[in-house]
């Protein structure tokens, strides 16, 4: 009798008439996917009831602040190192000195860029699109829990 129950379940799952074949997503669904902070395409995503415009403004203000900070890092630390790079004869000592002088600013630029795009920009678009699945850092939290 258990095999007959399994056969009934298999027929229900494998019935090709139960599935709707979608060859191409709709343009609005695809456009939503392009701006939603997700890597997996689905036709429907969980949605919040309203947009919190204060959060959107705060995130875009943080992106603008990151752009200004990036400008400051370039003006203060990177451009003076390479200002006379083409006018002087390039020696190995000068080249290594310029690499070490730009290592910390380059790291700061990477961190600021990742923060601006991956956190601020994507959170702003998630809020404007009413994207409700805000588990951006859930994978990182799981990974860190394994390390501790």
């Amino acid at each position: 009798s258990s095999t007959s129950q399994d056969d009934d379940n298999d027929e229900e799952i494998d019935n090709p008439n139960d599935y709707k074949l979608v060859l191409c997503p709709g343009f609005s669904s695809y456009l939503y996917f392009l701006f939603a902070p997700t890597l997996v395409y689905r036709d429907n995503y969980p949605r919040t009831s309203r947009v919190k415009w204060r959060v959107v403004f705060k995130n875009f203000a943080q992106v603008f602040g990151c752009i200004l900070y990036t400008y400051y890092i370039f003006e203060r630390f990177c451009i003076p190192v390479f200002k006379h790079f083409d006018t002087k004869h390039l020696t190995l000592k000068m080249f290594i000195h310029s690499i070490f002088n730009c290592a910390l600013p380059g790291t700061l630029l990477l961190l600021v860029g990742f923060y601006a795009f991956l956190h601020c920009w994507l959170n702003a678009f998630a809020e404007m699109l009413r994207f409700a699945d805000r588990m951006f850092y859930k994978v990182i939290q799981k990974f860190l829990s394994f390390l501790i």
Side-chain angles (χ1 to χ4, degrees):
S1 73
S2 65
T3 58
S4 66
Q5 289 176 349
D6 291 339
D7 291 339
D8 292 340
N9 289 340
D10 287 343
E11 285 179 16
E12 291 176 8
I13 292 172
D14 294 332
N15 187 357
N17 295 329
D18 291 343
Y19 298 108
K20 180 181 176 186
L21 182 62
V22 178
L23 296 176
C24 186
F27 182 71
S28 62
S29 297
Y30 181 68
L31 193 62
Y32 185 87
F33 165 71
L34 288 178
F35 288 100
T38 184
L39 296 174
V40 179
Y41 175 79
R42 293 180 358 187
D43 286 329
N44 295 317
Y45 294 97
R47 307 283 298 263
T48 57
S49 60
R50 63 182 182 88
V51 176
K52 300 174 196 159
W53 289 105
R54 180 172 284 188
V55 173
V56 173
F57 177 74
K58 181 188 78 159
N59 283 318
F60 279 132
Q62 288 176 358
V63 169
F64 182 70
C66 288
I67 290 170
L68 290 178
Y69 189 57
T70 300
Y71 174 76
Y72 172 75
I73 290 173
F74 268 111
E75 282 292 320
R76 174 67 176 93
F77 298 108
C78 296
I79 291 177
V81 171
F82 297 107
K83 192 172 192 178
H84 303 290
F85 212 69
D86 60 346
T87 59
K88 295 181 183 177
H89 180 66
L90 182 62
T91 63
L92 182 63
K93 179 182 176 185
M94 185 176 159
F95 182 70
I96 292 174
H97 186 265
S98 64
I99 288 174
F100 281 118
N101 278 344
C102 289
L104 185 61
T107 305
L108 281 173
L109 288 172
L110 281 173
L111 290 174
V112 168
F114 284 136
Y115 175 75
F117 178 71
L118 294 176
H119 181 73
C120 300
W121 186 266
L122 290 179
N123 269 320
F125 271 95
E127 190 62 42
M128 285 190 301
L129 294 173
R130 297 187 302 131
F131 187 76
D133 187 12
R134 301 292 176 89
M135 296 296 168
F136 300 136
Y137 306 112
K138 195 67 168 175
V139 175
I140 296 171
Q141 290 173 355
K142 284 182 182 180
F143 175 73
L144 291 177
S145 69
F146 287 125
L147 294 179
I148 297 175

